[in-house]
Amino acid sequence: MLAVEHLTVAFGRRPPAVRDISFAIPEGGRLGIIGASGSGKSVTALAIMGLLPEYARVGGSVKLGGAELVGLPDHEYSKLRGDALTMVFQEPMTALDPTMRVGRQIAEAYRLHAQGSKARDEVLRVLAAVGMPDPARVADSYPHELSGGQRQRALTAMAVINRPGLVVFDEPTTALDMLVQAQVLEMIDGLLRATGASCLFISHDIAVVAQLCAHILVMQDGQAVEQGETGQLLRAPRHPYTQALVAAARKGAVRG
Amino acid sequence: MAAKALRRLGVFAVCLLGASLVVFLISNWLPGDVAQVMLGTDATPEALARVRAELGLDQPLWLRYFAWIGGLLTGNLGTSPLSHYPVWELLAPRVAVTLWLVVLGIGLSILIALPLGMYAALRRRHLGGFAVSGLAQIGMAVPVFWGGILLALVFAVWLRWLPANGYVPLTRDPAGWAAHLALPVLTLGLVQAAVLVRYVRSAFVEVLHEDYLRTARAIGWSEFRALLRHGVRNAAISLVTVVGLQLAAALVGAIVVEQVFTLPGIGSLLLDAVSKRDLVVVQATVMLLVLAVLAINYRVDVSYLLIDPRQRSRGAAPEGRA
Ligand SMILES: Nc1ncnc2c1ncn2[C@@H]1O[C@H](COP(=O)(O)OP(=O)(O)O)[C@@H](O)[C@H]1O
Ligand SMILES: [Mg+2]
């Protein structure tokens, strides 16, 4: 489904923010990326989405269903975004246009890639699918009238309305409090299961990733230091950084 | 929302009252008076006193202020002691000229500045973006007066395409009206656009960094379409203030432009009245300008409520921009 090979991203003359990263996600598979803040997780995700600023230099290869994405002109790329692959960002508070009703923004995602007049029905359907108890009310609300958790659900709805093959989540629950975070993760899990979409899930929290993903890739300073099957990696981490992460997560879990 | 609009209306009324006091005091502080102008420099003190008494100029200042305000409130702007015309009749045709100039000038400046500013924002790391910003800088440095003379030289003297002075009312001769307004409107429009481009550019640069624009691209908008769809309204929230200020500046600019192209607008009326100490006309004209500027600001405040849903809802989290 998604094959990333030797991906390298550099900004200006600074050392590359992402260096020689390779991974693959099969049809319906889920890969989690963990790493400290600044380790290059978001840059990796944006490189896959083709959303890096124009001054970023991207090397290596990103293939979606066999087609090369690196170097694709923006007008071609934008046809794929929202349809074949989409992304849900970290900051639910600012990721929606404050001047437009939520339903209209979600309908936009639909109309950009599909013909037909049933956008409203689709919006209500997908809002129900992300666990909104009152889809019609949410659709008619402005972003500032919704809670953080509701906004993140709305953004997820926007991302999956066209049933994309790949959804990239960049720390979707980091800005939410614990209880809401658990609910949103559960929703994402169910949604991916129902649609069979592949998923790249980014978090700095190994426990969150482990809950959702069968495979994990660990990043440090722009490089992939270890990757493997989740159970294996948690049981026997090989790289010292992964060992530290796992140990810290264990401690946190014991404490509560 | 109604309460907010009402409170702003109250502020508006208080401002207007304060302004009337300032206008009245300043114009009465001018040395010399209209009696002197009417009778000439060799008038006897007795004759001067008689005319002043006739015009009510011998009354105490505060009484004259209240008489004037009372007149304004009942819609009576007074009569010019020099021309014996009611001030309203002097003002009306002049207001029409200035209004056309300002409205068309601002309209033109927006038509020029909006696409150029957006272009400069999108291409801010490229030569084209720098070129637009640089050109605007140069344009800003050109005084209105100079800009007008330059355009008159090129289009009226050299190319002989357009008249450089005078005015014809729209109702009498539409083509002549357009020809006579073309250069003044172009002057005002270009000068205002040079200032506006910078604000448009920075408003859109700011919007380009917003998360919701990245979201818009993630669902399939191209960068330019995302900016049109989700950038314009959000940029407008900060630009409404600027355009409001520009409108006020354009009123002042219009007075200069009227001088360059000898348009019979309120600018020439005002300057003429000041030199003749025709305070009735001066005060009415300045109050009209003040009213216009205050009304623009009031409209600006209210249009926030229309554009920005966060400002509309009461009791919402205070996260909207100020
Ligand atoms: N647009 C950009 N321009 C320059 N440097 C960037 C840009 N985006 C990210 N970086 C740099 O790349 C590195 C990785 O950032 P990022 O991928 O956002 O980290 P994270 O793992 O926390 O998501 C950081 O050092 C950051 O400063
Ligand atoms: Mg990040």
Side-chain angles (χ1 to χ4, degrees):
Chain A
M1 179 68 206
L2 180 77
V4 174
E5 274 161 26
H6 307 297
L7 180 70
T8 298
V9 181
F11 298 99
R13 285 195 208 90
R14 281 190 283 169
V18 168
R19 216 173 329 153
D20 195 19
I21 288 204
S22 302
F23 59 84
I25 304 177
E27 196 87 48
R30 300 180 193 174
L31 175 73
I33 298 186
I34 56 166
S37 165
S39 59
K41 306 183 297 292
S42 294
V43 170
T44 304
L46 292 171
I48 293 168
M49 293 297 297
L51 288 176
L52 285 167
E54 53 189 350
Y55 57 85
R57 280 173 289 123
V58 182
S61 150
V62 175
K63 286 203 176 95
L64 186 73
E68 179 63 52
L69 297 184
V70 172
L72 205 62
D74 192 60
H75 64 98
E76 301 271 337
Y77 226 131
S78 58
K79 280 181 205 147
L80 298 177
R81 286 193 289 254
D83 197 24
L85 74 171
T86 55
M87 181 158 172
V88 177
F89 298 95
Q90 171 174 356
E91 265 306 324
M93 297 322 239
T94 51
L96 289 161
D97 181 346
T99 65
M100 199 182 273
R101 288 181 204 278
V102 171
R104 262 184 75 195
Q105 298 189 49
I106 300 174
E108 233 171 48
Y110 179 75
R111 290 208 190 88
L112 271 166
H113 302 283
Q115 317 286 320
S117 54
K118 52 182 173 52
R120 174 84 183 175
D121 296 343
E122 284 294 306
V123 168
L124 296 182
R125 174 192 65 77
V126 79
L127 278 174
V130 296
M132 293 285 201
D134 190 352
R137 189 189 63 77
V138 170
D140 293 332
S141 300
Y142 284 101
H144 73 267
E145 295 165 335
L146 302 179
S147 69
Q150 287 173 319
R151 290 188 216 188
Q152 198 54 284
R153 284 174 197 266
L155 282 161
T156 307
M158 197 188 243
V160 300
I161 192 166
N162 296 315
R163 301 171 203 274
L166 174 73
V167 188
V168 178
F169 291 94
D170 188 359
E171 312 216 23
T173 60
T174 302
L176 306 175
D177 63 53
M178 289 304 281
L179 183 64
V180 180
Q181 173 172 339
Q183 291 167 345
V184 170
L185 284 176
E186 204 171 300
M187 177 275 288
I188 291 175
D189 187 36
L191 199 63
L192 290 172
R193 213 181 291 270
T195 59
S198 310
C199 157
L200 178 66
F201 191 98
I202 292 171
S203 175
H204 63 262
D205 185 345
I206 196 166
V208 167
V209 172
Q211 189 184 332
L212 219 61
C213 302
H215 288 81
I216 292 181
L217 182 150
V218 183
M219 280 186 79
Q220 189 186 23
D221 295 333
Q223 284 176 298
V225 293
E226 182 165 3
Q227 60 177 305
E229 190 263 322
T230 301
Q232 181 79 34
L233 190 128
L234 289 181
R235 243 176 290 120
R238 275 171 292 144
H239 191 274
Y241 179 64
T242 319
Q243 288 165 355
L245 273 180
V246 171
R250 287 250 160 72
K251 256 195 196 153
V254 170
R255 277 212 207 104
Chain B
M1 174 152 179
K4 272 190 188 176
L6 211 65
R7 204 175 56 226
R8 281 168 184 175
L9 198 63
V11 171
F12 176 67
V14 170
C15 286
L16 207 56
L17 199 68
S20 75
L21 198 61
V22 173
V23 168
F24 183 82
L25 287 178
I26 288 183
S27 57
N28 277 285
W29 257 323
L30 286 175
D33 67 8
V34 72
Q36 194 93 56
V37 174
M38 287 164 86
L39 299 179
T41 41
D42 49 355
T44 60
E46 295 75 40
L48 280 175
R50 189 168 36 77
V51 171
R52 284 189 184 129
E54 268 171 29
L55 297 175
L57 293 177
D58 56 343
Q59 305 274 325
L61 209 55
W62 63 273
L63 256 183
R64 278 190 277 149
Y65 174 71
F66 282 114
W68 175 58
I69 283 292
L72 288 190
L73 287 178
T74 53
N76 177 12
L77 296 181
T79 303
S80 162
L82 278 177
S83 65
H84 301 291
Y85 277 111
V87 172
W88 181 241
E89 270 179 42
L90 291 174
L91 266 174
R94 308 284 191 134
V95 168
V97 176
T98 304
L99 215 55
W100 277 123
L101 181 55
V102 169
V103 168
L104 294 176
I106 282 284
L108 181 67
S109 78
I110 292 173
L111 282 182
I112 296 171
L114 207 58
L116 276 183
M118 275 177 78
Y119 175 81
L122 276 170
R123 304 285 294 175
R124 65 193 175 287
R125 279 185 258 276
H126 298 261
L127 197 63
F130 286 122
V132 170
S133 298
L135 221 63
Q137 288 284 339
I138 295 172
M140 269 171 64
V142 177
V144 185
F145 194 72
W146 265 103
I149 290 178
L150 206 69
L151 287 174
L153 275 177
V154 173
F155 289 102
V157 178
W158 187 42
L159 293 171
R160 291 172 182 283
W161 285 355
L162 294 162
N165 49 38
Y167 182 75
V168 185
L170 172 64
T171 44
R172 195 185 308 154
D173 173 11
W177 170 81
H180 280 93
L181 268 181
L183 283 180
V185 165
L186 192 63
T187 306
L188 195 60
L190 283 177
V191 169
Q192 300 281 320
V195 182
L196 200 54
V197 162
R198 261 197 11 190
Y199 290 106
V200 173
R201 178 185 176 278
S202 62
F204 277 98
V205 166
E206 194 175 302
V207 162
L208 274 169
H209 288 117
E210 294 284 356
D211 288 347
Y212 52 78
L213 224 65
R214 200 174 53 179
T215 305
R217 297 192 63 203
I219 63 169
W221 291 111
S222 67
E223 188 174 30
F224 180 65
R225 297 290 221 86
L227 196 62
L228 278 188
R229 182 80 177 156
H230 294 280
V232 174
R233 266 154 73 102
N234 283 286
I237 293 173
S238 50
L239 284 178
V240 160
T241 322
V242 177
V243 171
L245 290 174
Q246 286 279 93
L247 217 53
L251 273 175
V252 178
I255 291 177
V256 176
V257 171
E258 282 170 12
Q259 296 306 303
V260 175
F261 295 97
T262 58
L263 286 183
I266 48 179
S268 50
L269 178 72
L270 183 63
L271 293 181
D272 193 42
V274 167
S275 70
K276 290 183 179 149
R277 299 295 183 271
D278 193 344
L279 297 191
V280 182
V281 173
V282 173
Q283 287 165 7
T285 311
V286 175
M287 274 315 283
L288 191 73
L289 288 171
V290 169
L291 181 72
V293 171
L294 285 178
I296 290 162
N297 285 338
Y298 173 70
R299 285 297 316 162
V300 166
D301 280 1
V302 174
S303 50
Y304 279 131
L305 300 180
L306 296 181
I307 303 177
D308 192 347
R310 287 165 300 188
Q311 300 248 345
R312 272 201 300 269
S313 51
R314 277 172 303 168
E319 57 184 337
R321 263 169 272 175

